[in-house]
Amino acid sequence: MADNGNGLQVHWLEAGFEQPGRPLLLLLHGFPELAFSWRHQMLPLAAAGFHVVAPDQRGYGRTTGWDARYDGDLDSFRMLNLVRDALGLVFALGHRSVAAVVGHDFGSPVAAWCALLRPDVFHSVVLMSAPFGGPPALPFDTVNRAAPAGASLAGVLADLAALPRPRKHYQWYYATPEANADMHDAPQGVHDFLRAYYHHKSADWPHNQPHALAGLTAAALAELPTYYVMDAAQGMAATVAVEMPDAEAIAACAWLPDATLRVYSSEYARTGFQGGLQWYRCGTGARFAAELQTFGGRTIDVPACFIAGRQDWGVYQSPGAFEAMQARACTDMRAVHLVDGAGHWVQQEQPEAVSRLLLDFVASVTPE
């Protein structure tokens, strides 16, 4: 545990710390994950000469100092403060630079903002499973011309609710007061809830055959699986329960054996999910958008790489972000990899392939 100078006592896993002076790799997990999610990558990266650090981020696992109440300190979970968390840990560990910051799922935008805001510290970035389309834009030239007509997010959400099969977007559901209890007090228990959730978003679920969506419309978003665009009357526990694998499939799941899943389920049974859900509340409300618009037009100019599962709908869930990341948001995109046989949990489903891709990238951008 270490004080990151930003209100947290951070719990982290590390490898390659025995020899001082090694370049640092910072691995940032997503939801509902932990530092443990990087267990397969840490030793290969350390064997290549790096000091590898994977923290439990704010709101997760054994890191303490965050407010677990729904009506608690939401400001501390906003994106710029999550970057401050990462920077504080880097400095607390005695490093002034990071050879590569690697983020998966919700860790991906944190890694992206680290690289965008402090390229002097974060010298390269790997985004995994969640593309970064750039900072939100400031409205431009509104004095001289009317704002262009386009789909409003509020309108799209209303259109989802008005579909013949009424739907809702999972991120807005995660922002509701009932979401934590729905998952933490799931009728099937936290362990089986997580089993079904992980299965549903993995390559083991045969219907994960993603494709680019036509645009930000209700009709297009309704093509997403129910773990992203849910039936309006259901919570997440009920949504994934119908996709619970049977005992034979669970026994055959080599990438997530039951004892491994128990690491996650025991931690989430202890902490609940609200810490991670606060990140969604900051992302879906307009309250924090203005400070991010301050950086509208800024790009990630350090070397970048994107890795995701080929069976991961997360690549396409935000229409246009995958393309914008490559065309505009990252000016030095070195590689884009879609790993076959992996859904959303790419570094766990195909660990050897991901470790190899990470090693290739960091070797190419790290001075001898």
Side-chain angles (χ1 to χ4, degrees), residues 8-333:
L8 296 181
Q9 290 293 320
V10 179
H11 170 261
W12 76 92
L13 304 178
E14 64 181 330
F17 56 86
E18 300 89 350
Q19 182 179 349
R22 287 180 162 214
L24 178 64
L25 300 180
L26 183 66
L27 312 181
L28 304 177
H29 68 81
F31 178 89
E33 297 181 278
L34 300 164
F36 180 71
S37 305
W38 299 105
R39 61 196 177 278
H40 298 297
Q41 284 71 47
M42 298 190 72
L43 291 180
L45 292 170
F50 293 94
H51 180 196
V52 188
V53 171
D56 286 340
Q57 296 206 75
R58 181 179 293 267
Y60 290 90
R62 302 193 178 193
T63 288
T64 61
W66 49 276
D67 194 332
R69 300 169 299 159
Y70 179 86
D71 293 322
D73 178 19
L74 185 61
D75 284 17
S76 67
F77 292 90
R78 71 193 194 280
M79 183 58 66
L80 298 188
N81 202 51
L82 300 178
V83 172
R84 173 65 179 82
D85 283 343
L87 188 65
L89 177 61
V90 169
F91 278 34
L93 292 171
H95 290 271
R96 294 195 178 277
S97 65
V98 179
V101 56
V102 183
H104 173 252
D105 183 77
F106 223 140
S108 177
V110 179
W113 280 97
C114 284
L116 187 145
L117 295 175
R118 292 301 305 268
D120 58 317
V121 174
F122 300 95
H123 293 173
S124 69
V125 62
V126 181
L127 309 176
M128 294 175 56
S129 299
F132 180 69
L138 280 166
F140 182 74
D141 202 20
T142 54
V143 171
N144 299 306
R145 64 186 70 186
S152 74
L153 190 54
V156 172
L157 296 174
D159 290 345
L160 279 173
L163 289 172
R165 175 187 170 188
R167 308 287 285 278
K168 63 189 177 190
H169 196 282
Y170 82 108
Q171 292 185 6
W172 275 261
Y173 169 72
Y174 278 167
T176 64
E178 62 267 20
N180 177 60
D182 170 50
M183 297 182 286
H184 190 238
D185 303 328
Q188 65 267 48
V190 170
H191 188 79
D192 282 358
F193 163 70
L194 286 173
R195 170 61 70 185
Y197 190 91
Y198 271 86
H199 171 77
H200 199 188
K201 296 184 74 170
S202 77
D204 294 345
W205 192 62
H207 303 295
N208 281 329
Q209 300 296 328
H211 57 80
L213 302 179
L216 187 61
T217 66
L221 293 181
E223 297 176 28
L224 293 166
T226 53
Y227 53 76
Y228 281 144
V229 175
M230 308 161 65
D231 286 328
Q234 289 192 323
M236 189 59 79
T239 294
V240 301
V242 297
E243 304 298 341
M244 180 71 175
D246 61 24
E248 183 178 0
I250 293 172
C253 184
W255 69 270
L256 191 62
D258 225 42
T260 301
L261 178 63
R262 189 70 62 187
V263 175
Y264 294 106
S265 62
S266 61
E267 283 296 271
Y268 281 101
R270 182 179 64 84
T271 65
F273 295 88
Q274 191 61 57
L277 297 178
Q278 300 292 64
W279 295 36
Y280 291 94
R281 293 181 64 201
C282 291
T284 55
R287 178 175 166 188
F288 301 111
E291 69 177 7
L292 297 182
Q293 285 181 320
T294 305
F295 306 96
R298 285 283 302 268
T299 54
I300 294 175
D301 300 321
V302 299
C305 174
F306 181 77
I307 302 171
R310 191 173 296 278
Q311 287 75 42
D312 183 6
W313 275 101
V315 177
Y316 306 109
Q317 69 146 317
S318 297
F322 184 52
E323 295 78 12
M325 175 185 66
Q326 299 172 73
R328 298 185 299 278
C330 297
T331 63
D332 190 8
M333 179 62 74

